[in-house]
Amino acid sequence: MSKTEAILWAAEADDSFFLNEILTDDEIIRTVTAEDDNDDNVTPVIPIKISHSEAVAALINSLHWAEEQNFEADEIMLLRRLRDRTFELKIGMAAQKKIITDFFGH
């Protein structure tokens, strides 16, 4: 680093030092608490309930699309594993419902 570059770097460092406000512990706590209060104005995200059947259909479509786009084999295998796992969950839920229905005789 040349002498001129060193002087310019030092001047920029001094400017950024003065731009950063030095806060006491109490001021830091008040600042953080005020930021937390602003979080109350955030609208909560309501999760969308997706059925196992909808998930299986979406993954099948995604798999077909990925194959048409010539995705890498490992990416296609991941989609297949996700599809198969989701299908297993769907079958498991159906079997569980059948067991419960059979148990209560409805």
Side-chain angles (χ1 to χ4, degrees), residues 52 55-56 59 77-93:
H52 294 303
V56 169
L59 287 164
M77 291 302 297
L78 173 62
L79 286 171
R80 286 183 181 153
R81 283 199 313 265
L82 288 171
R83 177 206 56 198
D84 294 346
R85 178 69 178 116
T86 306
F87 187 72
E88 290 170 4
L89 290 171
K90 177 184 173 186
I91 297 300
M93 287 296 292

Side-chain angles (χ1 to χ4, degrees), residues 1 5-6 17 37 42 48 57 64 81 87 91 95 97 99 101-102 105:
M1 178 183 297
E5 290 172 331
F17 176 77
D37 291 342
V42 176
I48 299 171
H64 289 306
R81 283 199 313 265
F87 187 72
I91 297 300
K97 285 180 184 177
I99 290 169
T101 304
D102 290 348

Side-chain angles (χ1 to χ4, degrees), residues 11-68:
E12 288 175 11
D14 287 343
D15 288 343
S16 65
F17 176 77
F18 290 112
L19 292 176
N20 294 326
E21 183 179 354
I22 299 174
L23 302 174
T24 66
D25 290 345
D26 290 335
E27 291 171 328
I28 292 170
I29 292 170
R30 278 195 299 272
T31 303
V32 171
T33 305
E35 289 173 1
D36 288 345
D37 291 342
N38 291 337
D39 291 344
D40 294 339
N41 298 332
V42 176
T43 305
V45 176
I46 300 171
I48 299 171
K49 184 70 176 164
I50 299 172
S51 71
H52 294 303
S53 297
E54 291 172 316
V56 169
L59 287 164
I60 289 170
N61 286 335
S62 298
L63 181 58
H64 289 306
W65 176 81
E67 288 170 342
E68 288 173 1

